[in-house]
Amino acid sequence: MKNKKIILILLALIMLTSCSLPGLGKGVQSDGIIVAGGSTSERQIMSEIVAQMINHYLSEGKPQLINNLGSSVLILQAIERDDANISGAMYTGTSLTGELGLEATTDRELAMTNVVKGYDDKFDMVWFPSYGFENTYAFMTSRKFAEENGITKISDLEKVKDSVRVGIDTGWLDRQGDGYDEFQKLYGFSFDTIRPMEIGLVYDAINNKNMDLALGYSTDGRINAYDLVTLEDDLHLFPPYDVSPVVTKKILRRYPEIEKILLKLENEISSEMMQKLNRTADEDKIEPTIVAKMFLEENNYFEDKEVVPLKDRELYKDIIKDILPIQGGK
């Protein structure tokens, strides 16, 4: 009898826990707007920006968030299970070779075209135009080192290849497609001193002068905090990782205003701005919801921005023909 009581209590707790998680099951089934975020500050900030924009413009259908989903695959699975219907941030390069299983490309326009069409065909979702920034691999160094050695692009590193100390992401050495092997083939040189380390340590390694050069992520807040210089990938080793929201067609039919709301964010966030937003969250320890709120208030929620509806864009004409189009410009 005692064991049965314990089992009943555990079952009750599980049921209560599952019911209390925002966005799971009930919200989507009742046409609720559920935005799936991620485990990084960047994804959480972007999901908050999307949710707060929708909340600002819609009188009904107030959005909820699910955060701490650790990858694009997990976010997609949450949407496919009807636990969410919007992703605040998806990356072209990641989704192209990941959930779509297509070949990588360094052509930015082609990458965007392929994910837009791929998500429509495979998942019946609309991949929106980019916010205006990408988060890709980037070589970076201190401003002093760059100026002293006349380095602005990756090709310039050939003249210091024998002396420069390089810290790289642990997985990059063996990474296929845009890893160290491809780097050597494309750029035609290698480094004498190269040290694999956790990605989070490479920025501090430069800042503390333990390394001269590092391979990190282009929108990391520490680039801004430490005044680092990112080098131009002049031979285009790294594929584009442009960032966009992704929305189910079902929720667009229910709330067609979402199209216009999200298009107000098109090309409004540069990589430099995203670095600053990430820095505010990671270095200044400000919650992503507050970071998003400050950003939107500073920009007046892009109230006056005119948008070009998706139905008027060649890439999207067939994709949204079965969705009620937004009329008007503003």
Side-chain angles (χ1 to χ4, degrees):
M1 180 64 70
K2 183 177 180 180
N3 287 340
K4 288 183 178 179
K5 287 183 178 180
I6 293 173
I7 291 171
L8 288 171
I9 290 171
L10 288 173
L11 287 172
L13 286 171
I14 291 170
M15 291 177 68
L16 284 171
T17 302
S18 64
C19 288
S20 64
L21 289 174
L24 294 182
K26 183 178 179 181
V28 171
Q29 294 302 328
S30 60
D31 291 324
I33 301 170
I34 314 296
V35 183
S39 56
T40 64
S41 294
E42 182 166 292
R43 266 191 156 138
Q44 292 184 9
I45 291 168
M46 294 314 303
S47 295
E48 285 284 356
I49 286 174
V50 167
Q52 291 181 34
M53 281 285 287
I54 294 172
N55 188 64
H56 177 77
Y57 284 101
L58 282 186
S59 57
E60 58 174 332
K62 298 304 181 182
Q64 301 177 64
L65 271 82
I66 307 173
N67 266 323
N68 297 313
L69 298 174
S71 69
S72 294
V73 171
L74 290 176
I75 291 172
L76 177 60
Q77 288 174 349
I79 296 175
E80 287 188 306
R81 291 195 306 263
D82 280 342
D83 292 336
N85 38 42
I86 298 176
S87 170
M90 297 295 263
Y91 301 80
T92 53
T94 300
S95 293
L96 193 64
T97 59
E99 52 267 29
L100 291 175
L102 301 175
E103 288 188 7
T105 177
T106 57
D107 185 319
R108 172 164 276 102
E109 186 176 342
L110 179 61
M112 179 62 74
T113 297
N114 286 346
V115 293
V116 169
K117 291 183 177 179
Y119 257 67
D120 173 49
D121 294 339
K122 194 170 183 179
F123 306 118
D124 203 33
M125 299 178 193
V126 180
W127 186 294
F128 272 70
S130 171
Y131 295 116
F133 73 95
E134 67 168 333
N135 189 356
T136 186
Y137 274 126
F139 278 104
M140 57 197 68
T141 186
S142 68
R143 190 169 299 279
K144 180 180 179 183
F145 186 87
E147 291 174 352
E148 287 179 349
N149 292 279
I151 294 171
T152 60
K153 56 186 185 292
I154 294 177
S155 291
D156 293 335
L157 294 172
E158 186 170 8
K159 56 190 174 185
V160 296
K161 63 184 176 63
D162 298 329
S163 59
V164 69
R165 299 169 298 167
V166 186
I168 62 163
D169 176 18
T170 303
W172 188 67
L173 273 181
D174 301 318
R175 185 178 171 90
Q176 299 298 309
D178 60 352
Y180 192 40
D181 285 344
E182 289 300 319
F183 169 86
Q184 293 173 92
K185 293 175 185 175
L186 184 62
Y187 279 96
F189 64 90
S190 57
F191 300 112
D192 272 9
T193 305
I194 189 165
R195 181 181 299 172
M197 58 180 64
E198 291 300 320
I199 189 71
L201 301 177
V202 299
Y203 312 94
D204 290 326
I206 296 182
N207 193 50
N208 296 329
K209 300 181 180 179
N210 295 320
M211 292 286 135
D212 304 307
L213 179 73
L215 182 69
Y217 293 135
S218 61
T219 58
D220 195 286
R222 284 163 290 191
I223 296 173
N224 180 268
Y226 297 160
D227 192 30
L228 303 181
V229 175
T230 57
L231 305 183
E232 178 192 351
D233 180 15
D234 51 312
L235 297 186
H236 308 292
L237 169 67
F238 302 117
Y241 287 85
D242 292 296
V243 188
S244 298
V246 174
V247 185
T248 65
K249 290 184 179 180
K250 180 180 178 181
I251 201 65
L252 282 176
R253 292 187 189 100
R254 175 67 179 86
Y255 299 103
E257 303 94 334
I258 289 176
E259 177 191 350
K260 179 179 173 182
I261 293 168
L262 294 182
L263 288 176
K264 284 179 174 288
L265 295 170
E266 181 180 2
N267 291 324
E268 290 295 343
I269 304 174
S270 66
S271 294
E272 292 74 21
M273 174 56 69
M274 198 66 237
Q275 287 176 15
K276 292 177 182 178
L277 296 177
N278 283 332
R279 175 186 177 178
T280 304
D282 293 329
E283 301 295 313
D284 300 338
K285 307 302 180 185
I286 306 297
E287 287 295 320
T289 183
I290 303 301
V291 175
K293 186 173 187 290
M294 292 190 300
F295 170 75
L296 290 174
E297 288 180 346
E298 285 172 4
N299 290 278
N300 195 30
Y301 292 85
F302 304 98
E303 288 272 8
D304 297 326
K305 180 174 178 177
E306 296 187 357
V307 302
V308 178
L310 295 181
K311 67 182 179 63
D312 294 338
R313 307 184 191 208
E314 192 63 35
L315 178 58
Y316 289 93
K317 282 182 178 178
D318 291 336
I319 291 173
I320 66 160
K321 61 186 178 182
D322 58 340
I323 301 173
L324 180 66
I326 301 285
Q327 300 296 330
K330 280 189 174 182

